[in-house]
PDB file of all heavy atoms in Angstrom:
ATOM      1  N   VAL A   1     158.042  50.127  87.277  1.00 51.00           N
ATOM      2  CA  VAL A   1     157.256  51.330  87.455  1.00 51.00           C
ATOM      3  C   VAL A   1     157.806  52.471  86.640  1.00 51.00           C
ATOM      4  O   VAL A   1     157.083  53.338  86.170  1.00 51.00           O
ATOM      5  CB  VAL A   1     157.218  51.719  88.950  1.00 51.00           C
ATOM      6  CG1 VAL A   1     156.454  53.018  89.161  1.00 51.00           C
ATOM      7  CG2 VAL A   1     156.585  50.607  89.769  1.00 51.00           C
ATOM      8  N   LEU A   2     159.129  52.481  86.443  1.00 48.00           N
ATOM      9  CA  LEU A   2     159.750  53.595  85.736  1.00 48.00           C
ATOM     10  C   LEU A   2     160.826  53.053  84.804  1.00 48.00           C
ATOM     11  O   LEU A   2     161.600  52.178  85.170  1.00 48.00           O
ATOM     12  CB  LEU A   2     160.387  54.561  86.747  1.00 48.00           C
ATOM     13  CG  LEU A   2     161.161  55.761  86.200  1.00 48.00           C
ATOM     14  CD1 LEU A   2     160.207  56.710  85.478  1.00 48.00           C
ATOM     15  CD2 LEU A   2     161.879  56.480  87.324  1.00 48.00           C
ATOM     16  N   ALA A   3     160.887  53.586  83.616  1.00 50.00           N
ATOM     17  CA  ALA A   3     161.939  53.218  82.660  1.00 50.00           C
ATOM     18  C   ALA A   3     162.873  54.411  82.516  1.00 50.00           C
ATOM     19  O   ALA A   3     162.444  55.493  82.166  1.00 50.00           O
ATOM     20  CB  ALA A   3     161.329  52.858  81.314  1.00 50.00           C
ATOM     21  N   VAL A   4     164.143  54.180  82.824  1.00 52.00           N
ATOM     22  CA  VAL A   4     165.125  55.250  82.704  1.00 52.00           C
ATOM     23  C   VAL A   4     165.738  55.208  81.323  1.00 52.00           C
ATOM     24  O   VAL A   4     166.318  54.198  80.927  1.00 52.00           O
ATOM     25  CB  VAL A   4     166.224  55.111  83.780  1.00 52.00           C
ATOM     26  CG1 VAL A   4     167.276  56.189  83.602  1.00 52.00           C
ATOM     27  CG2 VAL A   4     165.624  55.177  85.165  1.00 52.00           C
ATOM     28  N   GLY A   5     165.591  56.296  80.590  1.00 57.00           N
ATOM     29  CA  GLY A   5     166.106  56.329  79.220  1.00 57.00           C
ATOM     30  C   GLY A   5     167.612  56.512  79.185  1.00 57.00           C
ATOM     31  O   GLY A   5     168.221  57.012  80.125  1.00 57.00           O
ATOM     32  N   GLU A   6     168.212  56.105  78.088  1.00 59.00           N
ATOM     33  CA  GLU A   6     169.664  56.235  77.924  1.00 59.00           C
ATOM     34  C   GLU A   6     170.092  57.694  77.923  1.00 59.00           C
ATOM     35  O   GLU A   6     171.165  58.036  78.445  1.00 59.00           O
ATOM     36  CB  GLU A   6     170.092  55.566  76.609  1.00 59.00           C
ATOM     37  CG  GLU A   6     171.584  55.529  76.407  1.00 59.00           C
ATOM     38  CD  GLU A   6     171.976  54.836  75.113  1.00 59.00           C
ATOM     39  OE1 GLU A   6     171.119  54.159  74.529  1.00 59.00           O
ATOM     40  OE2 GLU A   6     173.142  54.975  74.702  1.00 59.00           O
ATOM     41  N   GLY A   7     169.254  58.562  77.358  1.00 67.00           N
ATOM     42  CA  GLY A   7     169.577  59.988  77.318  1.00 67.00           C
ATOM     43  C   GLY A   7     169.719  60.583  78.699  1.00 67.00           C
ATOM     44  O   GLY A   7     170.611  61.414  78.952  1.00 67.00           O
ATOM     45  N   ALA A   8     168.862  60.152  79.634  1.00 62.00           N
ATOM     46  CA  ALA A   8     168.923  60.664  80.999  1.00 62.00           C
ATOM     47  C   ALA A   8     170.221  60.248  81.675  1.00 62.00           C
ATOM     48  O   ALA A   8     170.879  61.030  82.370  1.00 62.00           O
ATOM     49  CB  ALA A   8     167.730  60.165  81.800  1.00 62.00           C
ATOM     50  N   LEU A   9     170.632  59.010  81.455  1.00 58.00           N
ATOM     51  CA  LEU A   9     171.871  58.515  82.039  1.00 58.00           C
ATOM     52  C   LEU A   9     173.079  59.265  81.464  1.00 58.00           C
ATOM     53  O   LEU A   9     174.038  59.578  82.173  1.00 58.00           O
ATOM     54  CB  LEU A   9     172.019  57.012  81.821  1.00 58.00           C
ATOM     55  CG  LEU A   9     171.048  56.115  82.589  1.00 58.00           C
ATOM     56  CD1 LEU A   9     171.279  54.661  82.224  1.00 58.00           C
ATOM     57  CD2 LEU A   9     171.205  56.315  84.084  1.00 58.00           C
ATOM     58  N   MET A  10     173.030  59.553  80.167  1.00 71.00           N
ATOM     59  CA  MET A  10     174.133  60.274  79.535  1.00 71.00           C
ATOM     60  C   MET A  10     174.219  61.716  80.071  1.00 71.00           C
ATOM     61  O   MET A  10     175.317  62.242  80.250  1.00 71.00           O
ATOM     62  CB  MET A  10     173.955  60.276  78.023  1.00 71.00           C
ATOM     63  CG  MET A  10     174.133  58.904  77.391  1.00 71.00           C
ATOM     64  SD  MET A  10     173.836  58.895  75.607  1.00 71.00           S
ATOM     65  CE  MET A  10     175.276  59.786  75.025  1.00 71.00           C
ATOM     66  N   ALA A  11     173.075  62.312  80.365  1.00 73.00           N
ATOM     67  CA  ALA A  11     173.070  63.665  80.926  1.00 73.00           C
ATOM     68  C   ALA A  11     173.694  63.662  82.317  1.00 73.00           C
ATOM     69  O   ALA A  11     174.499  64.554  82.662  1.00 73.00           O
ATOM     70  CB  ALA A  11     171.640  64.188  80.988  1.00 73.00           C
ATOM     71  N   VAL A  12     173.355  62.659  83.118  1.00 64.00           N
ATOM     72  CA  VAL A  12     173.948  62.540  84.452  1.00 64.00           C
ATOM     73  C   VAL A  12     175.451  62.329  84.348  1.00 64.00           C
ATOM     74  O   VAL A  12     176.234  62.886  85.114  1.00 64.00           O
ATOM     75  CB  VAL A  12     173.281  61.386  85.240  1.00 64.00           C
ATOM     76  CG1 VAL A  12     174.004  61.146  86.553  1.00 64.00           C
ATOM     77  CG2 VAL A  12     171.814  61.707  85.507  1.00 64.00           C
ATOM     78  N   GLN A  13     175.862  61.518  83.373  1.00 68.00           N
ATOM     79  CA  GLN A  13     177.287  61.282  83.153  1.00 68.00           C
ATOM     80  C   GLN A  13     178.016  62.583  82.834  1.00 68.00           C
ATOM     81  O   GLN A  13     179.114  62.835  83.346  1.00 68.00           O
ATOM     82  CB  GLN A  13     177.488  60.294  82.004  1.00 68.00           C
ATOM     83  CG  GLN A  13     177.705  58.878  82.458  1.00 68.00           C
ATOM     84  CD  GLN A  13     178.084  57.985  81.298  1.00 68.00           C
ATOM     85  OE1 GLN A  13     177.595  58.153  80.181  1.00 68.00           O
ATOM     86  NE2 GLN A  13     178.949  57.036  81.551  1.00 68.00           N
ATOM     87  N   ALA A  14     177.409  63.411  81.982  1.00 79.00           N
ATOM     88  CA  ALA A  14     178.031  64.674  81.583  1.00 79.00           C
ATOM     89  C   ALA A  14     178.228  65.588  82.797  1.00 79.00           C
ATOM     90  O   ALA A  14     179.268  66.207  82.970  1.00 79.00           O
ATOM     91  CB  ALA A  14     177.183  65.369  80.517  1.00 79.00           C
ATOM     92  N   VAL A  15     177.196  65.664  83.646  1.00 75.00           N
ATOM     93  CA  VAL A  15     177.306  66.475  84.857  1.00 75.00           C
ATOM     94  C   VAL A  15     178.391  65.907  85.777  1.00 75.00           C
ATOM     95  O   VAL A  15     179.158  66.646  86.401  1.00 75.00           O
ATOM     96  CB  VAL A  15     175.943  66.551  85.593  1.00 75.00           C
ATOM     97  CG1 VAL A  15     176.086  67.305  86.911  1.00 75.00           C
ATOM     98  CG2 VAL A  15     174.908  67.214  84.714  1.00 75.00           C
ATOM     99  N   GLY A  16     178.457  64.585  85.857  1.00 70.00           N
ATOM    100  CA  GLY A  16     179.475  63.938  86.678  1.00 70.00           C
ATOM    101  C   GLY A  16     180.883  64.240  86.201  1.00 70.00           C
ATOM    102  O   GLY A  16     181.794  64.446  87.015  1.00 70.00           O
ATOM    103  N   ILE A  17     181.080  64.306  84.905  1.00 79.00           N
ATOM    104  CA  ILE A  17     182.388  64.651  84.335  1.00 79.00           C
ATOM    105  C   ILE A  17     182.792  66.052  84.772  1.00 79.00           C
ATOM    106  O   ILE A  17     183.933  66.289  85.211  1.00 79.00           O
ATOM    107  CB  ILE A  17     182.365  64.555  82.800  1.00 79.00           C
ATOM    108  CG1 ILE A  17     182.231  63.092  82.371  1.00 79.00           C
ATOM    109  CG2 ILE A  17     183.609  65.181  82.189  1.00 79.00           C
ATOM    110  CD1 ILE A  17     181.861  62.919  80.905  1.00 79.00           C
ATOM    111  N   ILE A  18     181.858  66.983  84.666  1.00 84.00           N
ATOM    112  CA  ILE A  18     182.140  68.374  85.054  1.00 84.00           C
ATOM    113  C   ILE A  18     182.482  68.449  86.546  1.00 84.00           C
ATOM    114  O   ILE A  18     183.412  69.146  86.953  1.00 84.00           O
ATOM    115  CB  ILE A  18     180.920  69.274  84.744  1.00 84.00           C
ATOM    116  CG1 ILE A  18     180.708  69.335  83.239  1.00 84.00           C
ATOM    117  CG2 ILE A  18     181.109  70.674  85.322  1.00 84.00           C
ATOM    118  CD1 ILE A  18     179.413  69.992  82.818  1.00 84.00           C
ATOM    119  N   TRP A  19     181.759  67.691  87.354  1.00 75.00           N
ATOM    120  CA  TRP A  19     182.007  67.712  88.801  1.00 75.00           C
ATOM    121  C   TRP A  19     183.381  67.135  89.136  1.00 75.00           C
ATOM    122  O   TRP A  19     184.097  67.683  89.965  1.00 75.00           O
ATOM    123  CB  TRP A  19     180.905  66.930  89.511  1.00 75.00           C
ATOM    124  CG  TRP A  19     180.987  67.105  90.997  1.00 75.00           C
ATOM    125  CD1 TRP A  19     181.437  66.212  91.923  1.00 75.00           C
ATOM    126  CD2 TRP A  19     180.636  68.286  91.735  1.00 75.00           C
ATOM    127  NE1 TRP A  19     181.377  66.750  93.182  1.00 75.00           N
ATOM    128  CE2 TRP A  19     180.881  68.021  93.087  1.00 75.00           C
ATOM    129  CE3 TRP A  19     180.127  69.525  91.359  1.00 75.00           C
ATOM    130  CZ2 TRP A  19     180.646  68.964  94.083  1.00 75.00           C
ATOM    131  CZ3 TRP A  19     179.881  70.461  92.353  1.00 75.00           C
ATOM    132  CH2 TRP A  19     180.157  70.171  93.695  1.00 75.00           C
ATOM    133  N   LEU A  20     183.753  66.042  88.486  1.00 75.00           N
ATOM    134  CA  LEU A  20     185.069  65.453  88.727  1.00 75.00           C
ATOM    135  C   LEU A  20     186.184  66.424  88.344  1.00 75.00           C
ATOM    136  O   LEU A  20     187.188  66.566  89.055  1.00 75.00           O
ATOM    137  CB  LEU A  20     185.219  64.156  87.936  1.00 75.00           C
ATOM    138  CG  LEU A  20     184.478  62.928  88.475  1.00 75.00           C
ATOM    139  CD1 LEU A  20     184.568  61.787  87.474  1.00 75.00           C
ATOM    140  CD2 LEU A  20     185.058  62.503  89.824  1.00 75.00           C
ATOM    141  N   LEU A  21     186.014  67.109  87.231  1.00 84.00           N
ATOM    142  CA  LEU A  21     187.021  68.079  86.782  1.00 84.00           C
ATOM    143  C   LEU A  21     187.094  69.260  87.736  1.00 84.00           C
ATOM    144  O   LEU A  21     188.197  69.781  88.002  1.00 84.00           O
ATOM    145  CB  LEU A  21     186.701  68.553  85.360  1.00 84.00           C
ATOM    146  CG  LEU A  21     186.873  67.502  84.266  1.00 84.00           C
ATOM    147  CD1 LEU A  21     186.388  68.037  82.924  1.00 84.00           C
ATOM    148  CD2 LEU A  21     188.336  67.051  84.169  1.00 84.00           C
ATOM    149  N   LYS A  22     185.959  69.671  88.287  1.00 81.00           N
ATOM    150  CA  LYS A  22     185.945  70.763  89.258  1.00 81.00           C
ATOM    151  C   LYS A  22     186.715  70.377  90.524  1.00 81.00           C
ATOM    152  O   LYS A  22     187.521  71.145  91.053  1.00 81.00           O
ATOM    153  CB  LYS A  22     184.507  71.125  89.619  1.00 81.00           C
ATOM    154  CG  LYS A  22     184.378  72.238  90.660  1.00 81.00           C
ATOM    155  CD  LYS A  22     182.928  72.507  90.979  1.00 81.00           C
ATOM    156  CE  LYS A  22     182.799  73.603  92.036  1.00 81.00           C
ATOM    157  NZ  LYS A  22     183.371  73.220  93.340  1.00 81.00           N
ATOM    158  N   LEU A  23     186.467  69.155  91.005  1.00 74.00           N
ATOM    159  CA  LEU A  23     187.188  68.681  92.172  1.00 74.00           C
ATOM    160  C   LEU A  23     188.687  68.570  91.891  1.00 74.00           C
ATOM    161  O   LEU A  23     189.533  68.944  92.716  1.00 74.00           O
ATOM    162  CB  LEU A  23     186.654  67.310  92.598  1.00 74.00           C
ATOM    163  CG  LEU A  23     185.272  67.259  93.246  1.00 74.00           C
ATOM    164  CD1 LEU A  23     184.849  65.822  93.490  1.00 74.00           C
ATOM    165  CD2 LEU A  23     185.254  68.044  94.549  1.00 74.00           C
ATOM    166  N   SER A  24     189.016  68.060  90.719  1.00 80.00           N
ATOM    167  CA  SER A  24     190.420  67.915  90.322  1.00 80.00           C
ATOM    168  C   SER A  24     191.115  69.263  90.272  1.00 80.00           C
ATOM    169  O   SER A  24     192.242  69.427  90.765  1.00 80.00           O
ATOM    170  CB  SER A  24     190.498  67.214  88.959  1.00 80.00           C
ATOM    171  OG  SER A  24     191.828  67.128  88.518  1.00 80.00           O
ATOM    172  N   TRP A  25     190.450  70.254  89.679  1.00 85.00           N
ATOM    173  CA  TRP A  25     191.018  71.596  89.574  1.00 85.00           C
ATOM    174  C   TRP A  25     191.296  72.194  90.951  1.00 85.00           C
ATOM    175  O   TRP A  25     192.349  72.769  91.207  1.00 85.00           O
ATOM    176  CB  TRP A  25     190.059  72.493  88.775  1.00 85.00           C
ATOM    177  CG  TRP A  25     190.518  73.922  88.623  1.00 85.00           C
ATOM    178  CD1 TRP A  25     190.263  74.963  89.480  1.00 85.00           C
ATOM    179  CD2 TRP A  25     191.348  74.445  87.587  1.00 85.00           C
ATOM    180  NE1 TRP A  25     190.858  76.107  89.028  1.00 85.00           N
ATOM    181  CE2 TRP A  25     191.523  75.825  87.859  1.00 85.00           C
ATOM    182  CE3 TRP A  25     191.929  73.914  86.448  1.00 85.00           C
ATOM    183  CZ2 TRP A  25     192.274  76.659  87.029  1.00 85.00           C
ATOM    184  CZ3 TRP A  25     192.660  74.750  85.620  1.00 85.00           C
ATOM    185  CH2 TRP A  25     192.831  76.094  85.909  1.00 85.00           C
ATOM    186  N   GLY A  26     190.338  72.042  91.854  1.00 77.00           N
ATOM    187  CA  GLY A  26     190.497  72.572  93.200  1.00 77.00           C
ATOM    188  C   GLY A  26     191.641  71.924  93.952  1.00 77.00           C
ATOM    189  O   GLY A  26     192.406  72.598  94.658  1.00 77.00           O
ATOM    190  N   LEU A  27     191.773  70.621  93.793  1.00 70.00           N
ATOM    191  CA  LEU A  27     192.865  69.901  94.466  1.00 70.00           C
ATOM    192  C   LEU A  27     194.230  70.324  93.908  1.00 70.00           C
ATOM    193  O   LEU A  27     195.188  70.538  94.648  1.00 70.00           O
ATOM    194  CB  LEU A  27     192.684  68.386  94.312  1.00 70.00           C
ATOM    195  CG  LEU A  27     191.620  67.751  95.190  1.00 70.00           C
ATOM    196  CD1 LEU A  27     191.305  66.335  94.714  1.00 70.00           C
ATOM    197  CD2 LEU A  27     192.071  67.724  96.647  1.00 70.00           C
ATOM    198  N   TRP A  28     194.329  70.405  92.590  1.00 80.00           N
ATOM    199  CA  TRP A  28     195.606  70.726  91.956  1.00 80.00           C
ATOM    200  C   TRP A  28     196.095  72.128  92.322  1.00 80.00           C
ATOM    201  O   TRP A  28     197.282  72.345  92.510  1.00 80.00           O
ATOM    202  CB  TRP A  28     195.492  70.578  90.444  1.00 80.00           C
ATOM    203  CG  TRP A  28     196.805  70.826  89.736  1.00 80.00           C
ATOM    204  CD1 TRP A  28     197.281  72.000  89.255  1.00 80.00           C
ATOM    205  CD2 TRP A  28     197.822  69.844  89.517  1.00 80.00           C
ATOM    206  NE1 TRP A  28     198.527  71.823  88.710  1.00 80.00           N
ATOM    207  CE2 TRP A  28     198.897  70.512  88.854  1.00 80.00           C
ATOM    208  CE3 TRP A  28     197.929  68.474  89.787  1.00 80.00           C
ATOM    209  CZ2 TRP A  28     200.064  69.836  88.483  1.00 80.00           C
ATOM    210  CZ3 TRP A  28     199.088  67.821  89.399  1.00 80.00           C
ATOM    211  CH2 TRP A  28     200.134  68.502  88.767  1.00 80.00           C
ATOM    212  N   HIS A  29     195.171  73.053  92.413  1.00 76.00           N
ATOM    213  CA  HIS A  29     195.536  74.457  92.627  1.00 76.00           C
ATOM    214  C   HIS A  29     195.483  74.885  94.088  1.00 76.00           C
ATOM    215  O   HIS A  29     195.549  76.078  94.383  1.00 76.00           O
ATOM    216  CB  HIS A  29     194.641  75.375  91.785  1.00 76.00           C
ATOM    217  CG  HIS A  29     194.902  75.260  90.323  1.00 76.00           C
ATOM    218  ND1 HIS A  29     195.948  75.887  89.697  1.00 76.00           N
ATOM    219  CD2 HIS A  29     194.254  74.551  89.345  1.00 76.00           C
ATOM    220  CE1 HIS A  29     195.946  75.591  88.403  1.00 76.00           C
ATOM    221  NE2 HIS A  29     194.925  74.781  88.160  1.00 76.00           N
ATOM    222  N   SER A  30     195.351  73.929  94.998  1.00 68.00           N
ATOM    223  CA  SER A  30     195.405  74.290  96.421  1.00 68.00           C
ATOM    224  C   SER A  30     196.852  74.625  96.765  1.00 68.00           C
ATOM    225  O   SER A  30     197.741  73.785  96.685  1.00 68.00           O
ATOM    226  CB  SER A  30     194.899  73.138  97.293  1.00 68.00           C
ATOM    227  OG  SER A  30     195.660  71.971  97.054  1.00 68.00           O
ATOM    228  N   ARG A  31     197.105  75.891  97.120  1.00 60.00           N
ATOM    229  CA  ARG A  31     198.483  76.346  97.352  1.00 60.00           C
ATOM    230  C   ARG A  31     199.020  75.824  98.666  1.00 60.00           C
ATOM    231  O   ARG A  31     200.149  75.377  98.759  1.00 60.00           O
ATOM    232  CB  ARG A  31     198.535  77.881  97.332  1.00 60.00           C
ATOM    233  CG  ARG A  31     198.189  78.458  95.971  1.00 60.00           C
ATOM    234  CD  ARG A  31     198.402  79.954  95.933  1.00 60.00           C
ATOM    235  NE  ARG A  31     198.090  80.489  94.601  1.00 60.00           N
ATOM    236  CZ  ARG A  31     198.930  80.487  93.592  1.00 60.00           C
ATOM    237  NH1 ARG A  31     200.135  79.987  93.763  1.00 60.00           N
ATOM    238  NH2 ARG A  31     198.582  80.983  92.427  1.00 60.00           N
ATOM    239  N   ALA A  32     198.215  75.906  99.701  1.00 55.00           N
ATOM    240  CA  ALA A  32     198.674  75.422 101.000  1.00 55.00           C
ATOM    241  C   ALA A  32     198.494  73.920 101.064  1.00 55.00           C
ATOM    242  O   ALA A  32     197.631  73.359 100.391  1.00 55.00           O
ATOM    243  CB  ALA A  32     197.868  76.084 102.123  1.00 55.00           C
ATOM    244  N   GLY A  33     199.305  73.289 101.901  1.00 52.00           N
ATOM    245  CA  GLY A  33     199.177  71.850 102.051  1.00 52.00           C
ATOM    246  C   GLY A  33     197.838  71.470 102.654  1.00 52.00           C
ATOM    247  O   GLY A  33     197.261  70.459 102.317  1.00 52.00           O
ATOM    248  N   ARG A  34     197.356  72.323 103.540  1.00 54.00           N
ATOM    249  CA  ARG A  34     196.080  72.041 104.200  1.00 54.00           C
ATOM    250  C   ARG A  34     194.988  72.893 103.582  1.00 54.00           C
ATOM    251  O   ARG A  34     195.150  74.084 103.401  1.00 54.00           O
ATOM    252  CB  ARG A  34     196.210  72.326 105.685  1.00 54.00           C
ATOM    253  CG  ARG A  34     194.935  72.002 106.481  1.00 54.00           C
ATOM    254  CD  ARG A  34     195.253  71.998 107.961  1.00 54.00           C
ATOM    255  NE  ARG A  34     194.074  71.664 108.738  1.00 54.00           N
ATOM    256  CZ  ARG A  34     194.115  71.257 109.989  1.00 54.00           C
ATOM    257  NH1 ARG A  34     195.287  71.112 110.586  1.00 54.00           N
ATOM    258  NH2 ARG A  34     193.018  70.981 110.647  1.00 54.00           N
ATOM    259  N   MET A  35     193.845  72.268 103.284  1.00 59.00           N
ATOM    260  CA  MET A  35     192.727  72.984 102.659  1.00 59.00           C
ATOM    261  C   MET A  35     191.651  73.258 103.692  1.00 59.00           C
ATOM    262  O   MET A  35     191.430  72.451 104.592  1.00 59.00           O
ATOM    263  CB  MET A  35     192.129  72.147 101.516  1.00 59.00           C
ATOM    264  CG  MET A  35     193.104  71.819 100.403  1.00 59.00           C
ATOM    265  SD  MET A  35     192.417  70.613  99.256  1.00 59.00           S
ATOM    266  CE  MET A  35     191.013  71.524  98.615  1.00 59.00           C
ATOM    267  N   ASP A  36     190.995  74.411 103.560  1.00 61.00           N
ATOM    268  CA  ASP A  36     189.846  74.715 104.421  1.00 61.00           C
ATOM    269  C   ASP A  36     188.598  74.203 103.736  1.00 61.00           C
ATOM    270  O   ASP A  36     188.208  74.686 102.672  1.00 61.00           O
ATOM    271  CB  ASP A  36     189.746  76.231 104.660  1.00 61.00           C
ATOM    272  CG  ASP A  36     190.900  76.754 105.496  1.00 61.00           C
ATOM    273  OD1 ASP A  36     191.342  76.014 106.404  1.00 61.00           O
ATOM    274  OD2 ASP A  36     191.362  77.876 105.249  1.00 61.00           O
ATOM    275  N   ILE A  37     187.954  73.218 104.346  1.00 71.00           N
ATOM    276  CA  ILE A  37     186.767  72.607 103.772  1.00 71.00           C
ATOM    277  C   ILE A  37     185.621  72.773 104.763  1.00 71.00           C
ATOM    278  O   ILE A  37     185.717  72.323 105.903  1.00 71.00           O
ATOM    279  CB  ILE A  37     186.980  71.112 103.469  1.00 71.00           C
ATOM    280  CG1 ILE A  37     188.201  70.899 102.569  1.00 71.00           C
ATOM    281  CG2 ILE A  37     185.742  70.507 102.798  1.00 71.00           C
ATOM    282  CD1 ILE A  37     188.539  69.463 102.328  1.00 71.00           C
ATOM    283  N   SER A  38     184.536  73.393 104.331  1.00 77.00           N
ATOM    284  CA  SER A  38     183.386  73.572 105.215  1.00 77.00           C
ATOM    285  C   SER A  38     182.587  72.282 105.301  1.00 77.00           C
ATOM    286  O   SER A  38     182.687  71.411 104.426  1.00 77.00           O
ATOM    287  CB  SER A  38     182.494  74.707 104.699  1.00 77.00           C
ATOM    288  OG  SER A  38     181.894  74.332 103.479  1.00 77.00           O
ATOM    289  N   THR A  39     181.812  72.171 106.354  1.00 84.00           N
ATOM    290  CA  THR A  39     180.988  70.972 106.529  1.00 84.00           C
ATOM    291  C   THR A  39     179.986  70.830 105.387  1.00 84.00           C
ATOM    292  O   THR A  39     179.799  69.736 104.834  1.00 84.00           O
ATOM    293  CB  THR A  39     180.222  71.042 107.864  1.00 84.00           C
ATOM    294  OG1 THR A  39     181.170  71.153 108.944  1.00 84.00           O
ATOM    295  CG2 THR A  39     179.368  69.793 108.072  1.00 84.00           C
ATOM    296  N   SER A  40     179.349  71.934 105.001  1.00 87.00           N
ATOM    297  CA  SER A  40     178.352  71.885 103.914  1.00 87.00           C
ATOM    298  C   SER A  40     178.982  71.466 102.604  1.00 87.00           C
ATOM    299  O   SER A  40     178.409  70.666 101.851  1.00 87.00           O
ATOM    300  CB  SER A  40     177.661  73.237 103.771  1.00 87.00           C
ATOM    301  OG  SER A  40     178.599  74.254 103.479  1.00 87.00           O
ATOM    302  N   ALA A  41     180.194  71.986 102.325  1.00 85.00           N
ATOM    303  CA  ALA A  41     180.882  71.630 101.068  1.00 85.00           C
ATOM    304  C   ALA A  41     181.269  70.163 101.068  1.00 85.00           C
ATOM    305  O   ALA A  41     181.185  69.478 100.050  1.00 85.00           O
ATOM    306  CB  ALA A  41     182.114  72.511 100.870  1.00 85.00           C
ATOM    307  N   SER A  42     181.691  69.659 102.222  1.00 86.00           N
ATOM    308  CA  SER A  42     182.107  68.266 102.317  1.00 86.00           C
ATOM    309  C   SER A  42     180.902  67.331 102.158  1.00 86.00           C
ATOM    310  O   SER A  42     180.994  66.299 101.481  1.00 86.00           O
ATOM    311  CB  SER A  42     182.791  68.021 103.657  1.00 86.00           C
ATOM    312  OG  SER A  42     183.438  66.775 103.658  1.00 86.00           O
ATOM    313  N   ILE A  43     179.780  67.704 102.773  1.00 88.00           N
ATOM    314  CA  ILE A  43     178.554  66.905 102.631  1.00 88.00           C
ATOM    315  C   ILE A  43     178.122  66.904 101.156  1.00 88.00           C
ATOM    316  O   ILE A  43     177.759  65.865 100.595  1.00 88.00           O
ATOM    317  CB  ILE A  43     177.428  67.466 103.517  1.00 88.00           C
ATOM    318  CG1 ILE A  43     177.768  67.218 104.997  1.00 88.00           C
ATOM    319  CG2 ILE A  43     176.079  66.839 103.167  1.00 88.00           C
ATOM    320  CD1 ILE A  43     176.817  67.885 105.953  1.00 88.00           C
TER     321      ILE A  43
END
């Protein structure tokens, strides 16, 4: 029914890279041992 183009998958990959780096940055720079994570952010 639908053909997913390679360009669309590459775009999703690029966004995924940015998201992984964002998560990594937040984890590395958490000063306290315990992090405050909201339910919405975790979902």
Side-chain angles (χ1 to χ4, degrees):
V1 177
L2 177 66
V4 177
E6 185 178 346
L9 291 178
M10 291 177 71
V12 172
Q13 263 188 323
V15 176
I17 291 166
I18 294 170
W19 189 255
L20 285 172
L21 291 174
K22 179 182 179 296
L23 288 175
S24 176
W25 179 270
L27 283 167
W28 183 269
H29 290 280
S30 57
R31 295 186 179 277
R34 182 167 181 162
M35 300 170 63
D36 292 324
I37 305 175
S38 68
T39 301
S40 59
S42 192
I43 291 173

